[in-house]
Structures are given as C-alpha cells and as structure tokens.
Amino acid sequence: MSQSEHRIYARIAGTGSCLPERVVSNEELAQRVDTSDEWIRTRTGIRQRHVAGEGETTSELAYRAALRALEAAGTDPSELDLIVLGTTTPDLIFPSSACIVQHKLGAQGCMAFDVNAACSGFIYALTIADKFIRSGAAKTALVMGAETLTRMLDWNDRGTCVLFGDGAGAVVLKADTETGILSTHMHADGSKKDLLWNPVGVSVGFKPEEENAGVRVLMTGNEVFKHAVKALDAVVDEALESNGLERSALDWLVPHQANLRIIEATAKRLAMPMERVIVTVDRHGNTSSGSVPLALDEAVRSGCIERGQLLLLEAFGGGFTWGSALLRY
Ligand code: UT7
C-alpha cells in the first residue's frame, strides 16, 4: 500500500449560510452620516449590508447556517466530533457561542469552542478542524464563521459604519481518503493591533455603566488596506508554492470580502479573471469571519463551484491575522 493510500483529508461535505433579514442600503446610511452611495461603492464595492435585529445573535445566525450545512452534508448533529466557531462578536463572554450552537443543535458531548482571529476566524477554525481530522482525532466537524459586528459599530463614524455587515456561514467537514483540504497557512502580527481594534475588554476594564461608551471598531483604513494587500499576496503565493501548483491550476478564489479593490488586487496577483472570483461584498459588506463561508455557500448553491474543483480561500483581519486554505471541493 502506498503512502498516499493512508492519508486522511478533511473534505467539505456540505455548506450553509444565514443572513439577517434587515437590509441597509448605502442611501440609508447617507441619511445618517456624511457619506454617499457613490463614495461607498467606488471605494469599497459595497451597495448594501444585512444588519442583525433582535434575536438574531451570533449563535442564532451560526445555528441556522449550521442546520443548512448539516442538511447539505446529510449529517445528523449527533455525528459531530467537533464544533469550532470563528467569531469576534460572541453572544456572551462565556460560555462560547460554539457551546450555545451545540446545545441548539442537540449535539451533546462533542468538544465545542470559539476561535477569535477577527476576520480570519473562519480560516483559523477550518485549519484547526483540518488538523483534528488529519490526525484521526475527529471524523466529522462543524466549522462556522459568524458575526454581528454591527452591534459594536459607532453609527456616527463614517469611516467604519459603512463597511460592516452581519451574517454566518458553515461547513461540515468529513474524513475522506481521496481528497479535501490540501493545505492551510495561518499568520499573525500582534504589533499592528492599533490599526484595527475594539478597545473595550474585560481585563483592561469593562465599565457597563457607561452604556456602550467605548464599544466600537476603530480602524486606520488606508493603513489596513496596504497591509492586507501585501499579506494576501504573500499568503496566496505561499499556498501555491507549498503545493507545487501554478496559478493556472486554481478554479476559484474565495476571498475575504472587505473591499472589492483588495479582492481585485489578489485576483491580479493570481492572474485570475474576476469571473473566477467569488464576490459578495456588494451585497453583504464585510461580515468578518462570516464572509468566506458565506461566499463559499453562495457559490456552491448557485452552481458556480462544482465537485472536484480547486479552491483557494483567504482572509485578513484585526490582530493582524491572515491565512489561506487550498482545497479540492
Ligand atoms: O476586514 C478586515 C480588514 N479590513 C480591511 O481590509 C479594510 C481596509 N481598508 C479599506 O477598505 C479602505 O481603506 C477604506 C474603504 C476603509 C477607506 O478607503 P480609502 O480609499 O483608503 O480612503 P481613506 O481612508 O484614505 O479616506 C479618503 C477620504 C478621507 O477624506 P480626506 O481626508 O481625503 O478629506 C476620509 O475622511 O475619504 C473620507 N472618508 C469618507 N468619505 C465619505 C472616509 N470614509 C468616508 C465615507 N464617506 N464613508
């Protein structure tokens, strides 16, 4: 028996997603802050975003996305060995939102935890689940990226409030002897914390009596932009090189959806036409960890992405954190 016949891969068996009901257009935001549909569209590619309403918590959106992914995979929640949720906006400080999702699914007993890697949360969560499956420690995993970032936006800051939206995506991974995730690469640079962060926390001093006084996303957008393009260029090169693949081998790029101009820069680096790039930022805005699995599910369900195709997923976010996953779907 050859070496490769012993290999275990984590293969995506099903995908799902969920968006909040309420849609907020650029025009609606322009009535609140000094901005315009034209500025938002030309600088970011965003036309609208979904904003979570009452009851649409991170765990609830993740749960609904998970139900769809489980159904698509033909998997019962009782089969899950592992639940990992990438999020930077958990329902509560603890327990983790993954534990809340586990309970909602009725999937008692398996391990469940959150991963906070800001917008790279789904790539980090996918990487962890891939390692568990490759090592034989888990056979079936639920991996989600879910956020309600709009809950912590300063709606008077035009520099950030026009960028973000809420949503969740999920995949069910199953151990497979043929193919699946080929490689993942994760990186972080904690020295750039102040360029994209939320200064409110528990151990630095949480003052609930101040009524969300400090709960807001702070970003130096143009600096983040430059770092994102550079890091994503490097991480897509790294993914191809470590698999000995040419750029032309890729069927689809499924990028983090922060800004259409960043997506176009990565596509250019890969010499990929935009018809081979999944774009949802126009309708979803930046949903942080939700963005990659949301885009993936949309492309799978619309029939763009087909079984056997080679996909490159990538993300960049606060931390800084960034990473990629190369997989055969
Ligand atoms: O997902 C995590 C990673 N996040 C990202 O990757 C986001 C990366 N950054 C970006 O996407 C872009 O930097 C932004 C979309 C945030 C900003 O675009 P930009 O082309 O970098 O603009 P800028 O920050 O350099 O600002 C240009 C001008 C400024 O005015 P002055 O100083 O030139 O007079 C801003 O005050 O645009 C102004 N501006 C706005 N004007 C209208 C900033 N926000 C707005 C707005 N409407 N919403």
Side-chain angles (χ1 to χ4, degrees):
M1 208 180 254
S2 76
Q3 192 80 21
S4 62
E5 281 171 274
H6 288 294
R7 250 186 125 143
I8 304 174
Y9 294 93
R11 182 162 196 181
I12 295 179
T15 65
S17 61
C18 177
L19 288 159
E21 257 173 53
R22 184 161 177 247
V23 174
V24 175
S25 66
N26 291 345
E27 286 83 3
E28 194 175 334
L29 290 177
Q31 286 164 18
R32 187 179 179 120
V33 288
D34 182 15
T35 189
S36 65
D37 174 52
E38 208 260 333
W39 191 96
I40 302 170
R41 268 191 297 103
T42 52
R43 301 281 178 136
T44 70
I46 299 168
R47 287 191 283 115
Q48 59 170 55
R49 71 285 296 139
H50 291 248
V51 174
E54 212 186 318
E56 289 178 319
T57 59
T58 291
S59 76
E60 187 57 28
L61 298 175
Y63 164 65
R64 292 179 199 170
L67 281 181
R68 287 168 194 157
L70 287 161
E71 190 190 18
T75 301
D76 190 84
S78 63
E79 293 171 55
L80 296 172
D81 303 311
L82 166 67
I83 298 175
V84 200
L85 169 57
T87 188
T88 192
T89 48
D91 289 19
L92 304 166
I93 290 166
F94 69 88
S96 70
S97 295
C99 283
I100 299 172
V101 173
Q102 185 212 45
H103 178 63
K104 287 181 178 180
L105 290 171
Q108 266 181 356
C110 71
M111 65 186 130
F113 55 91
D114 289 355
V115 176
N116 178 354
C119 297
S120 310
F122 178 75
I123 299 287
Y124 268 58
L126 191 71
T127 300
I128 294 164
D130 177 50
K131 303 291 181 210
F132 269 92
I133 289 180
R134 271 177 188 249
S135 72
K139 281 197 166 55
T140 309
L142 172 64
V143 183
M144 298 162 287
E147 304 278 9
T148 46
L149 229 78
T150 68
R151 301 256 210 259
M152 61 181 191
L153 290 177
D154 175 352
W155 290 101
N156 296 314
D157 174 15
R158 68 176 184 174
T160 52
C161 77
V162 303
L163 304 174
F164 297 96
D166 302 325
V171 300
V172 172
L173 293 180
K174 282 189 182 170
D176 189 295
T177 51
E178 300 290 320
T179 190
I181 296 174
L182 302 178
S183 76
T184 57
H185 300 275
M186 300 192 288
H187 298 280
D189 177 0
S191 72
K192 304 292 187 304
K193 180 196 84 185
D194 294 352
L195 293 179
L196 176 52
W197 66 312
N198 184 327
V200 174
V202 179
S203 104
V204 293
F206 179 57
K207 300 185 182 69
E209 70 277 6
E210 284 177 13
E211 265 204 26
N212 295 340
V215 182
R216 63 192 187 278
V217 175
L218 300 176
M219 178 165 75
T220 312
N222 44 15
E223 281 299 313
V224 175
F225 189 102
K226 283 183 240 163
H227 284 285
V229 171
K230 223 167 127 195
L232 290 171
D233 277 356
V235 89
V236 297
D237 288 351
E238 179 185 34
L240 290 173
E241 271 162 33
S242 69
N243 288 279
L245 289 168
E246 295 296 325
R247 298 180 295 187
S248 56
L250 292 175
D251 290 303
W252 292 102
L253 174 66
V254 188
H256 173 46
Q257 311 282 326
N259 186 315
L260 186 60
R261 290 185 290 143
I262 298 177
I263 296 173
E264 285 169 345
T266 310
K268 197 167 166 207
R269 176 73 162 206
L270 290 167
M272 287 186 93
M274 286 305 285
E275 300 80 64
R276 288 275 157 197
V277 180
I278 307 301
V279 175
T280 56
V281 68
D282 53 334
R283 286 154 292 130
H284 300 173
N286 181 350
T287 58
S288 187
S289 318
S291 96
V292 171
L294 262 162
L296 178 65
D297 182 52
E298 196 175 287
V300 165
R301 283 176 192 264
S302 65
C304 289
I305 292 178
E306 293 171 16
R307 285 284 169 202
Q309 291 186 321
L310 195 61
L311 320 184
L312 181 58
L313 282 44
E314 47 85 337
F316 179 92
F320 289 148
T321 57
W322 65 101
S324 72
L326 186 81
L327 60 97
R328 195 154 299 276
Y329 177 66

